[in-house]
Amino acid sequence: MAGVNKVILVGHLGKDPEIRVIGNDRKVAKFTLATTETYKDNSGQRVESTEWHNVEFWGPIADVIERFLKKGSQVFVEGRIRTRSYDDKDGIKRYVTEIVGQNMTMLGGKPSGGGGANESPAEYNESTFTPTKANNSYGAKPASRDTPPPFAQADPGEDDLPF
Amino acid sequence: MAGVNKVILVGHLGKDPEIRVIGNDRKVAKFTLATTETYKDNSGQRVESTEWHNVEFWGPIADVIERFLKKGSQVFVEGRIRTRSYDDKDGIKRYVTEIVGQNMTMLGGKPSGGGGANESPAEYNESTFTPTKANNSYGAKPASRDTPPPFAQADPGEDDLPF
Amino acid sequence: MAGVNKVILVGHLGKDPEIRVIGNDRKVAKFTLATTETYKDNSGQRVESTEWHNVEFWGPIADVIERFLKKGSQVFVEGRIRTRSYDDKDGIKRYVTEIVGQNMTMLGGKPSGGGGANESPAEYNESTFTPTKANNSYGAKPASRDTPPPFAQADPGEDDLPF
Amino acid sequence: MAGVNKVILVGHLGKDPEIRVIGNDRKVAKFTLATTETYKDNSGQRVESTEWHNVEFWGPIADVIERFLKKGSQVFVEGRIRTRSYDDKDGIKRYVTEIVGQNMTMLGGKPSGGGGANESPAEYNESTFTPTKANNSYGAKPASRDTPPPFAQADPGEDDLPF
DNA sequence: TTTT
DNA sequence: TTTT
């Protein structure tokens, strides 16, 4: 017990996401995500290195991905690492490591394609579309992400603050 | 839009958590958490610096905290930063910054106090005790944290892997 | 000991960054960062909530911020929480919580203003401009962020992978 | 450009770490890390799921791992995901995904084995043992993790705060 | 006010 | 192969 398995990525989609529906109504969106880092090698040369991640999202977020993300889209992804095994065509056990997404935030620029009016497609997590009742089981005003308690917004640029 | 506000802390509780019930059944658990870092100053001297965080958890996790955490407990906390404003006794607007917890994992050591049999108190998040139905609205086997899709466990130490 | 104090933010600058030089050559860049989250309240209404963070970066990254960031820029920030106390104009001890930045990544869109040719201003961390020698003390090919070991780039879309 | 590739894990070592010295003085420490999560399946049954991660640390942290970590040790790991390809014994290109560690914090429990007097082995990052000069290139009091600026410690439990 |  |  007592484990944490968290991944945070910011990158661009390598291709349009691939959407599959499994069974009756389980939708999964898969895409590859490139995270590129720049560093200097031993000779002081600036080098670029790209890592490719296999990302998948299940449930309502898959709908959002289908509608708003495409090749080249920049996204923030939060998820967990999962390594699966499978047997390849020669019957040899092989492994693949994927990111099972939990939250997704679209970055840099307005969404395009498919989007209806009055949408705010920028940010999503596993409970985005969960009926309100779902989290209401423990009180009238649960302080979950879905319904934070009211608070006055601090403006950190005010007179008395030394910032 | 398109925001991310995430905090990850590992530290020890400075005091026993303070539990309050607001209204009928909204419970909140508050505690201060010390995160201590060690570094070397300019003279090469090892220096220790402790930051204190005001942490609060709402809902079912508050029950867990009440039962299992106490002064000195080591915990992993995931949450978000929230700055509230309020008027002090002289009517001056002041600010306080707190961590609104979303996940909590108990670290290092057995829980003590209050714990019943067959409990596994180590890890909690906002939906830990949500009735199963809550997340079932989008399919028979939602891939949420509560019900990940089945997968074979990879053994990364096998023959053919160069690790 | 044994502490972790980590903050991850994605948001937009509320104003142009403020640059100060302290002493001879210590530069600090400060800005306010808005992280906006959208959620549904108890009545199912979509509500937007913005948190403002006071962020500061020291050292070489401050130069980058001065050159490339301005009001409205979207950035990824990694840092730690620090609460300082100070005496206000009435001699009352007050507190302010800030994010001391460690890494910064510019998001969504090309940088503008001041940028020279052939620059890759997108990503920065505390050691970005550290002389190569600094990390070389432990070997010819240190595996630090600055000089990862060579590796072939996997293309996760290949034949034999079930992704 | 503009990428983020970050992994945060809390788990237990499956075996004693494996230490290798490459070339003259490059040391690498490798271990497998189990992150276990508990959730409820569709029937409300509590289910436990363990993910195994291949983790490696280079440089001075490898020394620390060699001395203080062993099978069963609980650690916090921060790093990045890296997928390498290699040719297996049949000449087939295969992939392995690993975590390249950047920071490590020992959790819960005293270190054992090898530890000298006056050591504080709990927390480590890539620059822990970097000579002080390394980060001093940009000022007398760099605000890096190694030498944060001085600040008064806030006590959030004071009179006037509503916490 | 924690911890090592 | 860990841990509770």
Side-chain angles (χ1 to χ4, degrees), chain A residues 1-3 6 26 58-60 76 78 80 83 85 95 105-106 120 122-123 126 134 138-139 141-143 148-149 152 154, chain B residues 1-3 6 25-26 58-60 78 80 82-83 85 95 105-106 120 123 134 138 141 143-145 148 152 154-155 158:
Chain A
M1 256 154 297
K6 182 164 290 292
R26 294 191 74 216
W58 295 78
F76 171 99
E78 183 186 340
R80 61 185 171 85
T83 298
S85 73
Y95 302 91
T105 299
M106 295 168 57
S120 57
E123 188 177 346
E126 291 183 336
Y138 48 95
K141 289 184 175 177
Chain B
M1 254 156 298
K6 181 164 291 292
D25 53 357
R26 293 191 75 218
W58 295 79
E78 182 185 341
R80 61 186 171 84
R82 186 193 59 194
T83 298
S85 74
Y95 302 91
T105 299
M106 295 169 57
S120 57
E123 188 178 346
Y138 48 95
K141 288 183 175 178
S144 75
R145 180 184 222 127
D155 179 348
E158 274 315 303

Side-chain angles (χ1 to χ4, degrees), chain A residues 18-30 57-59 62-63 66, chain B residues 138-140:
Chain A
E18 178 188 346
I19 310 295
R20 293 190 206 161
V21 178
I22 286 141
N24 249 2
D25 52 358
R26 294 191 74 216
K27 189 180 277 191
V28 58
K30 299 190 178 195
F57 277 91
W58 295 78
D63 291 313
E66 181 178 21
Chain B
Y138 48 95

Side-chain angles (χ1 to χ4, degrees), chain B residues 35-55:
Chain B
T35 57
T36 301
E37 292 177 279
T38 306
Y39 59 92
K40 288 181 180 166
D41 67 10
N42 284 329
S43 60
Q45 206 82 31
R46 187 161 283 278
V47 183
E48 200 177 282
S49 156
T50 297
E51 195 68 25
W52 286 95
H53 310 269
N54 294 325
V55 182

